Amino acid sequence: MYSLELVQGTKSIRLHEAGFYLASPLKVSSPEIINEFSRIDGRPGRILGNSSHEKIVLEAEIEFDFSLDAQYPMLRDQIMAVLSGSEPFYIREMVPEHVRVSFEKPGERTGAMDLPNMRYANGKQYLVIGTGSQVFEQIALTGKGTATFETAMLPYAESIGTSKVINDNGVDVSSGIWSFGMGLQMDGVNKDTWKYKYSDVSTFNIYNPGHVDINDWKQYCQITITAKQSASSIRLVDATGGVFILTRDIKAGDVIKISQPYVKVNDATALHQSNYYFPVIKAGQNAMRVEGISYYEIEFDFKFYYGAQKIKDLEVWK
């Protein structure tokens, strides 16, 4: 017994609560790879110019039961309408916490099935849109059909939680938004891997447990710097050596927000007062520093993205 949670804006729907279930775990493809090659006349072989990820395809085998034949068209139309919207939404895979089976002796009745509580299968979600069309069929008193989705923006899974949640609350497994396989380190084993907020330090570390660098406006990432003193400019140096520069006078109490493609100071647009560079947060450890100001507070709030790990970044694989 499996299920999906559908999330769009502040609205969420869990299919199992409406009587719809997945017959098998969600089927998820690897990111589709698009390679661009060029050739040099007179030379054998070809040269890789660019390689990028296009999309992920997901399939959900949905079932629902009913008591009367007359209920089937209503339930079929209900689930098809929900899955056929023209605006993207998030899907989160759900699995039962446990399955309890009560055995019956001849002539004994243990009662109705005790449906288990459902939880997230992992702490990941996909921003998707339906593709093609869905066809459901009636088999006895069960409706069955397969819904197909494809990623609407980035071709990766992303974390439900963010770095700010970890900084403020740690990794609470009971919350359901964190799981094994997300690259999270044990608290205290690797220093600073749960810390995403610093004050008045010359250098600091930001840990990205995902597989993908944070360097795209389609990824959720907000960096907030609160000044505690005046400065003529502020520079943030990332782990690649790239430098974000804000070239304007800053006063104590000013709040600078960097969220590609926006830069704001006290909620006023300040992109034109920057060098148009946005800091990159690489997968793994990121040694970073702030220059131009000694007394400040900096906080990183970003999601983690999965599905395209670099082999050279692997440390342990058992």
Side-chain angles (χ1 to χ4, degrees):
M1 183 182 297
Y2 307 90
S3 183
L4 288 179
E5 182 179 58
L6 314 180
V7 181
Q8 191 175 70
T10 58
K11 179 72 173 181
S12 66
I13 297 173
R14 294 183 172 184
L15 295 186
H16 63 277
E17 294 178 352
F20 300 95
Y21 294 90
L22 269 61
S24 62
L26 185 67
K27 297 178 181 179
V28 182
S29 77
S30 62
E32 181 180 333
I33 302 175
I34 304 298
N35 298 320
E36 299 176 4
F37 295 92
S38 60
R39 295 191 58 194
I40 299 177
D41 290 343
R43 300 284 299 272
R46 54 183 182 169
I47 300 171
L48 177 63
N50 182 59
S51 182
S52 60
H53 295 120
E54 181 76 11
K55 64 181 178 181
I56 287 176
V57 177
L58 308 95
E59 292 184 356
E61 297 179 1
I62 298 175
E63 293 185 351
F64 55 92
D65 296 325
F66 45 92
S67 302
L68 303 171
D69 284 343
Q71 292 178 310
Y72 171 73
M74 177 187 68
L75 294 172
R76 177 200 62 200
D77 293 350
Q78 181 182 11
I79 188 63
M80 289 176 61
V82 168
L83 301 176
S84 300
S86 59
E87 295 182 358
F89 54 92
Y90 282 103
I91 57 174
R92 300 168 180 171
E93 189 173 7
M94 304 193 75
V95 297
E97 286 185 349
H98 64 276
V99 177
R100 187 171 64 188
V101 178
S102 298
F103 294 96
E104 296 179 348
K105 297 178 181 178
E108 180 186 14
R109 301 296 295 175
T110 58
M113 180 186 296
D114 183 17
L115 296 178
N117 293 326
M118 303 293 286
R119 62 171 179 83
Y120 296 127
N122 50 42
K124 301 172 184 177
Q125 61 185 4
Y126 299 86
L127 182 63
V128 303
I129 189 74
T131 181
S133 59
Q134 296 94 31
V135 177
F136 284 81
E137 60 178 332
Q138 179 180 351
I139 302 176
L141 294 179
T142 298
K144 296 183 178 182
T146 299
T148 304
F149 312 97
E150 60 184 23
T151 47
M153 293 185 73
L154 291 170
Y156 310 115
E158 68 177 55
S159 63
I160 298 172
T162 70
S163 59
K164 188 178 188 304
V165 174
I166 294 178
N167 188 85
D168 294 347
N169 305 308
V171 178
D172 181 5
V173 177
S174 64
S175 68
I177 63 173
W178 309 113
S179 70
F180 290 107
M182 296 187 72
L184 303 170
Q185 303 293 327
M186 293 294 292
D187 189 21
V189 174
N190 290 329
K191 185 180 179 182
D192 298 337
T193 57
W194 284 16
K195 190 171 183 180
Y196 295 94
K197 188 175 183 178
Y198 293 88
S199 297
D200 312 332
V201 292
S202 56
T203 61
F204 53 88
N205 180 70
I206 297 298
Y207 179 60
N208 175 8
H211 301 156
V212 182
D213 298 346
I214 309 296
N215 60 358
D216 192 302
W217 67 269
K218 296 184 290 295
Q219 296 165 305
Y220 173 75
C221 178
Q222 181 166 290
I223 303 171
T224 304
I225 303 173
T226 302
K228 298 181 182 178
Q229 67 177 91
S230 299
S232 58
S233 69
I234 289 180
R235 296 177 296 280
L236 174 57
V237 184
D238 65 28
T240 71
V243 185
F244 165 82
I245 304 174
L246 185 65
T247 55
R248 59 164 283 171
D249 291 335
I250 296 297
K251 305 187 296 295
D254 282 351
V255 178
I256 303 152
K257 293 184 178 180
I258 308 165
S259 180
Q260 190 174 0
Y262 304 106
V263 177
K264 294 184 178 181
V265 177
N266 300 328
D267 291 328
T269 299
L271 179 63
H272 61 290
Q273 295 172 308
S274 76
N275 64 338
Y276 297 92
Y277 177 82
F278 290 89
V280 175
I281 305 175
K282 300 190 302 179
Q285 307 285 0
N286 290 263
M288 307 177 78
R289 66 182 185 273
V290 173
E291 299 176 342
I293 191 170
S294 299
Y295 300 101
Y296 67 92
E297 182 178 88
I298 187 167
E299 183 174 19
F300 291 75
D301 187 26
F302 59 95
K303 292 184 178 181
F304 317 136
Y305 295 83
Y306 300 90
Q309 190 168 19
K310 301 180 181 71
I311 295 175
K312 64 182 181 181
D313 291 340
L314 285 172
E315 297 180 3
V316 178
W317 193 8
K318 293 183 179 179

